[in-house]
Amino acid sequence: MKRVALFASLSALACLPPIAVQAQAADRPLPPSGQADEPAQSRADQSGNGEIVVTARRREERLQDVPVAISAVSGDALQSRAITNVEGLRFTVPALVVSPTPFGAASPGYTIRSQRQLESIISQDPSVGIYFADIVQQRPQGTNTSLYDIASVQVLKGPQGTLFGRNTTGGAVLITPAKPEFEPGGSLSVMVGDYGQHALTGVANLPLSSTLAIRVAGNITRRTGYFDNVATGQKVDSQRTESGRASLLWQPDDRFSSLTIGTYFHEDDAGLGFFPYALRPGSAAATFPGYQADFDASQRRGDRTISNNLQPLVKIDSFSVSNTSTLRLGDVTLKNIFGYRDVKTFGSFDFDASAVTLFESRNDFSSNQWTEEFQVLGKIGPSIDFITGAYWFNERGRDTQSSVLFGTRINDGLGDNSSTSLFAQGDWKVSPTLTLTLGGRYTWDERSLFAFNKLNSQCRLVATNVPVTSPGAQRLDPCVRQSTVDFRAPTWLATLSWRPVDDVMLYGTYSRGYRSGGLPLRANLPAETVPFAPEFVDNFELGLKSEFLDRRVRFNAAAYFDKYRDIQRTLSFGTPLTTVVLNAADARIWGGEADLMIRAVRWFELNATATYSKNQYGSFTGPGLGDLSGNRFAFAPELIYTIGGRVVATFPGNNGELSARLDWFHQSSIYVADINDIPIPAYGTLDAGVEWQRLFGLPLDLRAFVKNVTDRHYFSGGVSTYPSNGLSGFFPGAPRHFGVELKAHFGSVR
């Protein structure tokens, strides 16, 4: 009945199109490079005064006017830098780390300001929210999709505890697809490259009437795989995807608009291969029959040859539909955002990274989610802007992990998660140069979990706190344990921004973020079923946004200090392996971000970014593990920096524009587990690209790119059970590869 009522409400009030990152329509003397914090629609005025418009506060504002740490990249910039999926964003957006998880590259983990959910399971929420067309993608499974026909990507840094649907402590990534326009247009692009790469992307935009327009886009990708798996004779890290999107915009007048978007994504390919990076002498893995010999053989072959007897495999099917509608009534705007997402995934992973059967896993995951958000936006007098509303979220899913690790085990759970919240935020312009922003949200979360856990085909759930391997263990029959828990919390934000001169803004922010608690999927003993508590972050931030020399130089920076408590941590330890989620008492995170753009002359542009994030536990102990406070956060590099340059030449006679660029990316070392052991070493990569827009004056664009020009060997992620079982398996990063793309376009589509 709730869903019937929901659809009825949508029929009665379909409210506003999603506000994308946009830029002004005048021609620009130098098109944007694609560096973070650049105009989203690739246009500015003749003096180079580009207007970057973002929606970090759920309404359109110039980037330089928003007292928020945010980076924005346009769809054109993504194309020119050959960023074809979400993982590629880490090479251009400061402070964002996107890397494969144990469940493969198609289900990545996201880190912002040292905060990340280590595993993606149905009973635990992410630290970083991913939004597509204003709809949260609660589970990362299937979010590493192709970025095509995109208007913009925005990355918000720091707690999101007021205006965004799902509270997060680290930040949010907002992906906005291009919406229909009332002018016909279309494009078709073909990309080919080495390693069997080829991709086909098509876009068609068609006005059906003066009030109705449709936009359809589709993408097909193929890659044979970067590395050989000598154990199976097949390739790993291949790519085989098909996806499509249809958007319908109804805009009968200038007061009302309704945008409906449907998406489909399918992937069926070989996943990431594991390379055995480290083996602890005398450990359970080192003494397992045949493992030491296979490890030694892998070291001799090198890290670009895989030996996984369980062939990595990833299958994903996802479907979504959303409607964003707006009704403007004078100074008040009513906005309604509805969304539905269904995702099904299957993956197989050889965690022991060898040709022997020691630690292998298969994961089946399926979920569907419903979201509903209603907003009221308006003004009170000449000096106050406000937004208030309500949000509802429900998710149901099943998460099944079947593993081989000194026996067979199954962790199976049915989860049902709901969240309801009320929120409000307002800006008060105290004076022409001083603005105070206050916001608050109250959230109610409910979770339930049915767990079915077995070891060697016998129930692993017991009625007392006696391990199942002990003689006195009382196995549950039927083998199921139900848990229900609820949480509630207020979150808030207070910001004071000051503009001493037109192109300089200083701001200070105090905000609180919250991540819901959860239930342990792998719990077996009653003592292990205790829910883990919500975590909270108090964020103190100072920021600067500035432009100089007729806005040809832009420098933005932020420094922050976070007080982090009740931190959710995933610990794997012991033989046989035990995995628990618990709350570390507290920690501190401090750091800063800066990005610089210099466009002193028309034909040359320089971009540089730097991000530093240091974390330290105040208190952290584990069951039987003692003091763990000396550990660093997993997947949280201390330093990331980029530097890039671009030169541009315009051909005479309207024969187009040629540009070339180089980009260097560096990331410091990271650990892949909350109990630190063997780190992934620091690395840097160099990318290059050439683009000829309007080839010979025709509606054609020709692009060529080379990724990892120096063919640097590095690792992008991995899994480590070094302290317990004695092994660490990492994912080799992509080798040097190149591609060439030809795109034909006309009308409203570029």
Short mmCIF file of all heavy atoms in Angstrom, two decimals, residues 88-132:
data_model
loop_
_atom_site.label_atom_id
_atom_site.label_comp_id
_atom_site.label_asym_id
_atom_site.label_seq_id
_atom_site.Cartn_x
_atom_site.Cartn_y
_atom_site.Cartn_z
N GLY A 88 38.00 5.99 -13.05
CA GLY A 88 38.92 6.94 -13.65
C GLY A 88 38.86 8.33 -13.04
O GLY A 88 39.76 9.14 -13.25
N LEU A 89 37.80 8.63 -12.27
CA LEU A 89 37.69 9.95 -11.65
C LEU A 89 38.82 10.23 -10.68
O LEU A 89 39.17 11.39 -10.45
CB LEU A 89 36.34 10.08 -10.92
CG LEU A 89 35.08 10.10 -11.78
CD1 LEU A 89 33.85 10.05 -10.90
CD2 LEU A 89 35.06 11.35 -12.66
N ARG A 90 39.40 9.20 -10.10
CA ARG A 90 40.44 9.43 -9.09
C ARG A 90 41.68 10.10 -9.68
O ARG A 90 42.47 10.69 -8.96
CB ARG A 90 40.83 8.11 -8.43
CG ARG A 90 41.55 7.12 -9.33
CD ARG A 90 41.62 5.76 -8.66
NE ARG A 90 42.28 4.76 -9.48
CZ ARG A 90 43.55 4.40 -9.34
NH1 ARG A 90 44.30 4.97 -8.41
NH2 ARG A 90 44.07 3.47 -10.10
N PHE A 91 41.83 10.01 -11.00
CA PHE A 91 42.99 10.63 -11.63
C PHE A 91 42.80 12.13 -11.89
O PHE A 91 43.74 12.81 -12.29
CB PHE A 91 43.32 9.93 -12.95
CG PHE A 91 43.75 8.50 -12.78
CD1 PHE A 91 42.91 7.46 -13.14
CD2 PHE A 91 44.99 8.20 -12.25
CE1 PHE A 91 43.31 6.13 -12.98
CE2 PHE A 91 45.39 6.88 -12.07
CZ PHE A 91 44.55 5.85 -12.44
N THR A 92 41.60 12.65 -11.64
CA THR A 92 41.35 14.06 -11.94
C THR A 92 40.71 14.83 -10.81
O THR A 92 40.72 16.05 -10.80
CB THR A 92 40.47 14.21 -13.20
OG1 THR A 92 40.42 15.57 -13.60
CG2 THR A 92 39.07 13.70 -12.95
N VAL A 93 40.11 14.15 -9.82
CA VAL A 93 39.41 14.83 -8.73
C VAL A 93 40.22 14.69 -7.44
O VAL A 93 40.45 13.58 -6.97
CB VAL A 93 38.01 14.24 -8.51
CG1 VAL A 93 37.33 14.92 -7.32
CG2 VAL A 93 37.17 14.41 -9.77
N PRO A 94 40.68 15.77 -6.87
CA PRO A 94 41.44 15.67 -5.63
C PRO A 94 40.59 15.10 -4.50
O PRO A 94 39.40 15.35 -4.43
CB PRO A 94 41.85 17.12 -5.34
CG PRO A 94 40.96 17.96 -6.15
CD PRO A 94 40.53 17.16 -7.32
N ALA A 95 41.23 14.33 -3.64
CA ALA A 95 40.62 13.79 -2.41
C ALA A 95 39.72 12.58 -2.65
O ALA A 95 39.23 12.00 -1.68
CB ALA A 95 39.86 14.85 -1.64
N LEU A 96 39.47 12.18 -3.89
CA LEU A 96 38.62 11.02 -4.15
C LEU A 96 39.49 9.83 -4.54
O LEU A 96 40.26 9.89 -5.49
CB LEU A 96 37.63 11.32 -5.28
CG LEU A 96 36.77 10.14 -5.76
CD1 LEU A 96 35.83 9.68 -4.66
CD2 LEU A 96 35.99 10.50 -7.02
N VAL A 97 39.34 8.73 -3.78
CA VAL A 97 40.02 7.48 -4.11
C VAL A 97 38.95 6.46 -4.48
O VAL A 97 38.05 6.18 -3.69
CB VAL A 97 40.86 6.96 -2.92
CG1 VAL A 97 41.51 5.62 -3.27
CG2 VAL A 97 41.92 7.98 -2.52
N VAL A 98 39.03 5.94 -5.70
CA VAL A 98 38.11 4.90 -6.17
C VAL A 98 38.96 3.70 -6.54
O VAL A 98 39.83 3.79 -7.41
CB VAL A 98 37.29 5.36 -7.39
CG1 VAL A 98 36.25 4.31 -7.75
CG2 VAL A 98 36.62 6.69 -7.12
N SER A 99 38.73 2.57 -5.89
CA SER A 99 39.57 1.40 -6.13
C SER A 99 38.75 0.13 -6.02
O SER A 99 37.71 0.11 -5.35
CB SER A 99 40.75 1.37 -5.14
OG SER A 99 40.29 1.46 -3.82
N PRO A 100 39.21 -0.95 -6.65
CA PRO A 100 38.47 -2.20 -6.60
C PRO A 100 38.37 -2.73 -5.17
O PRO A 100 39.24 -2.51 -4.34
CB PRO A 100 39.31 -3.14 -7.48
CG PRO A 100 40.17 -2.25 -8.30
CD PRO A 100 40.42 -1.04 -7.48
N THR A 101 37.31 -3.45 -4.91
CA THR A 101 37.10 -4.12 -3.63
C THR A 101 37.34 -5.62 -3.83
O THR A 101 37.59 -6.08 -4.96
CB THR A 101 35.68 -3.90 -3.13
OG1 THR A 101 34.76 -4.55 -4.03
CG2 THR A 101 35.35 -2.41 -3.06
N PRO A 102 37.25 -6.41 -2.74
CA PRO A 102 37.33 -7.86 -2.92
C PRO A 102 36.29 -8.42 -3.87
O PRO A 102 36.44 -9.54 -4.36
CB PRO A 102 37.10 -8.38 -1.49
CG PRO A 102 37.60 -7.29 -0.62
CD PRO A 102 37.24 -6.02 -1.33
N PHE A 103 35.23 -7.66 -4.15
CA PHE A 103 34.18 -8.12 -5.06
C PHE A 103 34.38 -7.60 -6.47
O PHE A 103 33.46 -7.67 -7.29
CB PHE A 103 32.81 -7.72 -4.51
CG PHE A 103 32.57 -8.23 -3.12
CD1 PHE A 103 32.48 -7.35 -2.07
CD2 PHE A 103 32.47 -9.58 -2.85
CE1 PHE A 103 32.28 -7.79 -0.78
CE2 PHE A 103 32.28 -10.04 -1.57
CZ PHE A 103 32.18 -9.15 -0.52
N GLY A 104 35.57 -7.07 -6.78
CA GLY A 104 35.91 -6.73 -8.14
C GLY A 104 35.82 -5.25 -8.45
O GLY A 104 35.34 -4.44 -7.65
N ALA A 105 36.30 -4.89 -9.66
CA ALA A 105 36.33 -3.49 -10.08
C ALA A 105 34.94 -2.94 -10.32
O ALA A 105 34.72 -1.73 -10.25
CB ALA A 105 37.16 -3.36 -11.35
N ALA A 106 33.97 -3.80 -10.63
CA ALA A 106 32.62 -3.34 -10.90
C ALA A 106 31.88 -2.92 -9.63
O ALA A 106 30.82 -2.30 -9.71
CB ALA A 106 31.82 -4.42 -11.62
N SER A 107 32.43 -3.27 -8.47
CA SER A 107 31.85 -2.89 -7.19
C SER A 107 32.91 -2.16 -6.38
O SER A 107 33.44 -2.69 -5.40
CB SER A 107 31.34 -4.11 -6.43
OG SER A 107 30.40 -4.83 -7.20
N PRO A 108 33.28 -0.94 -6.79
CA PRO A 108 34.43 -0.28 -6.19
C PRO A 108 34.14 0.25 -4.80
O PRO A 108 32.99 0.37 -4.37
CB PRO A 108 34.71 0.87 -7.16
CG PRO A 108 33.37 1.19 -7.74
CD PRO A 108 32.65 -0.13 -7.85
N GLY A 109 35.22 0.59 -4.09
CA GLY A 109 35.12 1.29 -2.84
C GLY A 109 35.49 2.75 -3.05
O GLY A 109 36.31 3.07 -3.91
N TYR A 110 34.87 3.64 -2.29
CA TYR A 110 35.07 5.07 -2.44
C TYR A 110 35.61 5.65 -1.14
O TYR A 110 35.05 5.40 -0.06
CB TYR A 110 33.76 5.77 -2.79
CG TYR A 110 33.15 5.30 -4.09
CD1 TYR A 110 32.30 4.20 -4.13
CD2 TYR A 110 33.42 5.96 -5.29
CE1 TYR A 110 31.74 3.76 -5.32
CE2 TYR A 110 32.85 5.52 -6.48
CZ TYR A 110 32.01 4.42 -6.49
OH TYR A 110 31.45 3.99 -7.67
N THR A 111 36.70 6.41 -1.23
CA THR A 111 37.31 7.04 -0.06
C THR A 111 37.38 8.55 -0.29
O THR A 111 37.84 9.00 -1.33
CB THR A 111 38.74 6.52 0.16
OG1 THR A 111 38.73 5.10 0.26
CG2 THR A 111 39.33 7.10 1.45
N ILE A 112 36.91 9.31 0.68
CA ILE A 112 37.07 10.76 0.71
C ILE A 112 37.49 11.15 2.12
O ILE A 112 36.86 10.73 3.09
CB ILE A 112 35.79 11.50 0.31
CG1 ILE A 112 35.40 11.19 -1.14
CG2 ILE A 112 35.96 13.01 0.48
CD1 ILE A 112 34.11 11.86 -1.59
N ARG A 113 38.57 11.90 2.22
CA ARG A 113 39.09 12.35 3.51
C ARG A 113 39.30 11.19 4.48
O ARG A 113 38.87 11.22 5.63
CB ARG A 113 38.19 13.43 4.11
CG ARG A 113 38.22 14.73 3.31
CD ARG A 113 37.47 15.85 4.00
NE ARG A 113 37.66 17.11 3.28
CZ ARG A 113 37.11 18.26 3.61
NH1 ARG A 113 36.32 18.32 4.67
NH2 ARG A 113 37.35 19.36 2.91
N SER A 114 39.92 10.13 3.97
CA SER A 114 40.33 8.95 4.74
C SER A 114 39.16 8.07 5.17
O SER A 114 39.37 7.09 5.91
CB SER A 114 41.13 9.34 5.98
OG SER A 114 42.37 9.91 5.64
N GLN A 115 37.95 8.34 4.71
CA GLN A 115 36.79 7.57 5.18
C GLN A 115 36.26 6.69 4.06
O GLN A 115 36.06 7.14 2.94
CB GLN A 115 35.71 8.52 5.68
CG GLN A 115 36.19 9.32 6.88
CD GLN A 115 35.11 10.19 7.45
OE1 GLN A 115 34.03 9.71 7.77
NE2 GLN A 115 35.38 11.48 7.56
N ARG A 116 36.02 5.42 4.43
CA ARG A 116 35.63 4.42 3.44
C ARG A 116 34.97 3.25 4.13
O ARG A 116 35.34 2.89 5.25
CB ARG A 116 36.87 3.94 2.68
CG ARG A 116 36.64 2.79 1.69
CD ARG A 116 37.97 2.32 1.18
NE ARG A 116 37.90 1.18 0.28
CZ ARG A 116 38.20 1.22 -1.00
NH1 ARG A 116 38.58 2.36 -1.54
NH2 ARG A 116 38.15 0.14 -1.75
N GLN A 117 34.00 2.64 3.47
CA GLN A 117 33.45 1.36 3.91
C GLN A 117 34.32 0.27 3.32
O GLN A 117 34.47 0.17 2.10
CB GLN A 117 32.00 1.19 3.44
CG GLN A 117 31.39 -0.14 3.83
CD GLN A 117 30.04 -0.37 3.17
OE1 GLN A 117 29.58 0.44 2.38
NE2 GLN A 117 29.40 -1.49 3.47
N LEU A 118 34.94 -0.56 4.18
CA LEU A 118 35.91 -1.54 3.70
C LEU A 118 35.25 -2.60 2.83
O LEU A 118 35.82 -3.04 1.83
CB LEU A 118 36.63 -2.19 4.88
CG LEU A 118 37.84 -3.05 4.51
CD1 LEU A 118 38.90 -2.23 3.80
CD2 LEU A 118 38.43 -3.72 5.76
N GLU A 119 34.08 -3.05 3.21
CA GLU A 119 33.37 -4.06 2.44
C GLU A 119 31.97 -3.57 2.09
O GLU A 119 31.39 -2.76 2.82
CB GLU A 119 33.25 -5.36 3.23
CG GLU A 119 34.54 -6.11 3.44
CD GLU A 119 34.28 -7.43 4.10
OE1 GLU A 119 33.78 -7.45 5.23
OE2 GLU A 119 34.56 -8.47 3.48
N SER A 120 31.43 -4.08 1.01
CA SER A 120 30.07 -3.76 0.63
C SER A 120 29.17 -4.93 0.99
O SER A 120 29.13 -5.93 0.28
CB SER A 120 29.98 -3.46 -0.86
OG SER A 120 28.64 -3.29 -1.23
N ILE A 121 28.45 -4.81 2.11
CA ILE A 121 27.53 -5.86 2.54
C ILE A 121 26.18 -5.23 2.86
O ILE A 121 26.08 -4.04 3.17
CB ILE A 121 28.07 -6.64 3.75
CG1 ILE A 121 28.41 -5.69 4.91
CG2 ILE A 121 29.29 -7.45 3.36
CD1 ILE A 121 28.91 -6.40 6.15
N ILE A 122 25.13 -6.03 2.80
CA ILE A 122 23.77 -5.54 2.88
C ILE A 122 23.46 -4.91 4.23
O ILE A 122 22.58 -4.06 4.34
CB ILE A 122 22.77 -6.69 2.58
CG1 ILE A 122 21.34 -6.15 2.41
CG2 ILE A 122 22.82 -7.73 3.68
CD1 ILE A 122 21.16 -5.27 1.22
N SER A 123 24.21 -5.27 5.27
CA SER A 123 23.88 -4.81 6.62
C SER A 123 24.73 -3.64 7.08
O SER A 123 24.72 -3.31 8.27
CB SER A 123 24.04 -5.98 7.61
OG SER A 123 25.36 -6.49 7.57
N GLN A 124 25.47 -2.99 6.17
CA GLN A 124 26.33 -1.87 6.53
C GLN A 124 26.24 -0.80 5.46
O GLN A 124 26.19 -1.10 4.26
CB GLN A 124 27.77 -2.35 6.70
CG GLN A 124 28.72 -1.31 7.25
CD GLN A 124 30.11 -1.88 7.51
OE1 GLN A 124 30.41 -3.00 7.11
NE2 GLN A 124 30.94 -1.11 8.18
N ASP A 125 26.23 0.47 5.86
CA ASP A 125 26.09 1.59 4.92
C ASP A 125 27.45 2.15 4.52
O ASP A 125 28.43 2.04 5.27
CB ASP A 125 25.25 2.70 5.55
CG ASP A 125 23.78 2.35 5.58
OD1 ASP A 125 23.38 1.40 4.88
OD2 ASP A 125 23.02 3.03 6.30
N PRO A 126 27.53 2.81 3.35
CA PRO A 126 28.80 3.37 2.88
C PRO A 126 29.15 4.68 3.57
O PRO A 126 28.28 5.39 4.09
CB PRO A 126 28.55 3.57 1.38
CG PRO A 126 27.07 3.78 1.28
CD PRO A 126 26.45 2.93 2.34
N SER A 127 30.45 5.01 3.53
CA SER A 127 30.93 6.29 4.07
C SER A 127 30.79 7.41 3.05
O SER A 127 30.75 8.59 3.43
CB SER A 127 32.40 6.17 4.47
OG SER A 127 32.60 5.16 5.41
N VAL A 128 30.74 7.06 1.77
CA VAL A 128 30.63 8.03 0.68
C VAL A 128 29.39 7.70 -0.13
O VAL A 128 29.20 6.55 -0.55
CB VAL A 128 31.88 8.01 -0.22
CG1 VAL A 128 31.71 8.95 -1.40
CG2 VAL A 128 33.13 8.37 0.58
N GLY A 129 28.52 8.68 -0.33
CA GLY A 129 27.30 8.45 -1.09
C GLY A 129 27.52 8.66 -2.58
O GLY A 129 28.17 9.63 -2.99
N ILE A 130 26.97 7.77 -3.40
CA ILE A 130 27.02 7.88 -4.86
C ILE A 130 25.61 8.19 -5.34
O ILE A 130 24.67 7.44 -5.05
CB ILE A 130 27.54 6.59 -5.51
CG1 ILE A 130 28.84 6.14 -4.84
CG2 ILE A 130 27.74 6.79 -7.00
CD1 ILE A 130 29.96 7.14 -4.91
N TYR A 131 25.47 9.29 -6.08
CA TYR A 131 24.15 9.71 -6.57
C TYR A 131 24.18 9.79 -8.09
O TYR A 131 25.10 10.36 -8.67
CB TYR A 131 23.78 11.09 -6.00
CG TYR A 131 23.49 11.09 -4.52
CD1 TYR A 131 24.54 11.10 -3.60
CD2 TYR A 131 22.19 11.09 -4.04
CE1 TYR A 131 24.29 11.09 -2.24
CE2 TYR A 131 21.93 11.09 -2.68
CZ TYR A 131 22.98 11.08 -1.78
OH TYR A 131 22.73 11.07 -0.44
N PHE A 132 23.15 9.23 -8.70
CA PHE A 132 22.96 9.35 -10.15
C PHE A 132 21.61 10.00 -10.37
O PHE A 132 20.58 9.48 -9.93
CB PHE A 132 23.03 7.99 -10.83
CG PHE A 132 22.95 8.06 -12.33
CD1 PHE A 132 24.09 8.26 -13.09
CD2 PHE A 132 21.73 7.96 -12.99
CE1 PHE A 132 24.03 8.35 -14.47
CE2 PHE A 132 21.65 8.04 -14.37
CZ PHE A 132 22.81 8.24 -15.11
#
